[in-house]
Amino acid sequence: MVLKEIDSLKYEKLFSICILTARQDELESVTESFEKAGFTDENSEYLYIDNISKNKYDAYDGYNKFLNLAKGEYIILAHQDLLLDFDNIDVLKQRIEQMNKLDPTWAILGNFGFSKENINKRFSRITDPGVDNLFEGPLPAKVGSLDENFLVVKNDANLSLSKNIGHYHLYGTDLCIQAQNQGYSTYVIDFHLRHKSGGFPNKSFYDTKKRLIKQYTNAFKSRFVRTPCTIIYISNNGFLNKIMNKKFIYSIKKRIDKIKGKK
């Protein structure tokens, strides 16, 4: 038997480059671009999901596999149509080092998002079909949600996507909400790349939006939870939490449930 102390364990690579692809030519171009930017076999592993011949996984299930199996200290979830035409691995390492000093509680970094406190305030660093060399700062900037085209996820955060939303939209938003609910922060950073396509909301997008709203309506629903040692009332209302966690409320709740159980 080999007994290992947990802090002695190291990640196999610095980065895991994870790509869900439906086109072979896009897979080749994005991986070649990353490699030219310094993401080599020495510092990075390349993982992909092959949806070329058939749709094996949607974004939620596919990225969950990446998040569960990646061996890199930082997991890059990249769209297949990205090109690192501007910044390289050294820039990204500098941005990560900066974030580790500025806010060690960060869990996800991206290149496009909106402020959590002011939804009219946008932060971005990207070139796409709509605009060249877009910079909206100051950066880094804490945000409530991030666009999915490029996400850097801290492996130590142990994040995962919701199981019951599905399809190919809003998974960046879902992942950010999951991170923030666990006490982590999400940021837009100054890492410039080219995204070869823009976003076009369609029916599947709005269907996914409905499922996401339903998911978090259920997740944030007020409830009683009984543990072996106590009863807890949880809601998104601080005043209500204070009142409903009084002992006399627990007594009333137990009596009501006992009466229900006899019916």
Side-chain angles (χ1 to χ4, degrees):
M1 179 183 70
V2 178
L3 187 62
K4 297 181 179 180
E5 200 278 324
I6 191 68
D7 288 337
S8 69
L9 301 180
K10 304 295 182 183
Y11 286 106
E12 294 182 8
K13 304 284 185 178
L14 183 60
F15 293 105
S16 294
I17 316 299
C18 303
I19 303 159
L20 189 153
T21 186
R23 290 179 52 178
Q24 182 64 35
D25 61 329
E26 294 278 29
L27 177 63
E28 292 173 359
S29 64
V30 67
T31 54
E32 181 182 349
S33 177
F34 268 88
E35 190 171 30
K36 286 182 177 179
F39 296 85
T40 65
D41 289 337
E42 285 72 30
N43 54 51
S44 304
E45 64 170 350
Y46 284 82
L47 307 175
Y48 78 101
I49 287 176
D50 185 356
N51 276 355
I52 296 171
S53 58
K54 65 176 182 178
N55 188 42
K56 293 181 182 178
Y57 300 98
D58 69 10
Y60 285 78
D61 287 340
Y63 284 129
N64 268 341
K65 289 190 75 69
F66 287 139
L67 292 168
N68 289 333
L69 299 176
K71 304 299 184 183
E73 185 174 358
Y74 302 104
I75 305 168
I76 297 177
L77 305 178
H79 275 193
Q80 65 181 356
D81 60 347
L82 292 184
L83 295 174
L84 300 193
D85 287 345
F86 310 105
D87 291 338
N88 60 19
I89 190 173
D90 292 330
V91 175
L92 185 57
K93 287 163 66 175
Q94 291 170 13
R95 300 295 179 256
I96 290 173
E97 183 179 354
Q98 177 187 22
M99 287 307 312
N100 287 338
K101 294 177 180 178
L102 177 68
D103 184 359
T105 69
W106 76 266
I108 313 174
L109 309 176
N111 59 13
F112 194 105
F114 286 83
S115 168
K116 190 175 182 180
E117 288 71 31
N118 179 1
I119 61 172
N120 298 306
K121 180 60 177 175
R122 188 174 74 177
F123 299 96
S124 58
R125 187 67 175 117
I126 195 170
T127 287
D128 65 19
V131 63
D132 287 332
N133 197 23
L134 179 63
F135 182 99
E136 295 174 298
L139 301 178
K142 185 182 289 189
V143 292
S145 179
L146 289 161
D147 184 77
E148 291 94 7
N149 77 89
F150 178 81
L151 299 172
V152 181
V153 182
K154 187 187 294 183
N155 205 339
D156 275 350
N158 296 310
L159 297 179
S160 64
L161 289 151
S162 296
K163 182 63 179 175
N164 53 348
I165 296 178
H167 215 265
Y168 291 92
H169 304 288
L170 297 172
Y171 53 88
T173 299
D174 179 53
L175 198 61
C176 286
I177 294 173
Q178 296 279 0
Q180 292 158 17
N181 285 345
Q182 296 179 51
Y184 292 106
S185 303
T186 54
Y187 284 83
V188 171
I189 58 170
D190 183 1
F191 186 75
H192 188 198
L193 53 73
R194 183 184 305 277
H195 187 206
K196 295 190 288 183
S197 65
F200 302 98
N202 53 19
K203 183 179 183 303
S204 68
F205 173 88
Y206 292 107
D207 288 343
T208 305
K209 179 180 176 180
K210 290 178 182 177
R211 291 192 298 273
L212 184 140
I213 292 170
K214 182 178 180 181
Q215 159 72 8
Y216 286 102
T217 299
N218 292 332
F220 298 150
K221 185 183 296 183
S222 61
R223 69 197 72 184
F224 280 98
V225 179
R226 182 152 192 183
T227 78
C229 300
T230 189
I231 301 172
I232 304 169
Y233 178 82
I234 301 170
S235 77
N236 61 0
N237 185 304
F239 176 76
L240 191 59
N241 287 340
K242 186 175 181 179
I243 297 299
M244 296 297 287
N245 279 290
K246 300 291 186 181
K247 287 185 177 180
F248 78 90
I249 295 293
Y250 297 162
S251 298
I252 295 171
K253 172 65 175 170
K254 286 193 288 186
R255 290 172 187 171
I256 292 173
D257 286 354
K258 188 174 182 180
I259 294 171
K260 287 180 180 179
K262 291 180 178 179
K263 292 182 180 179

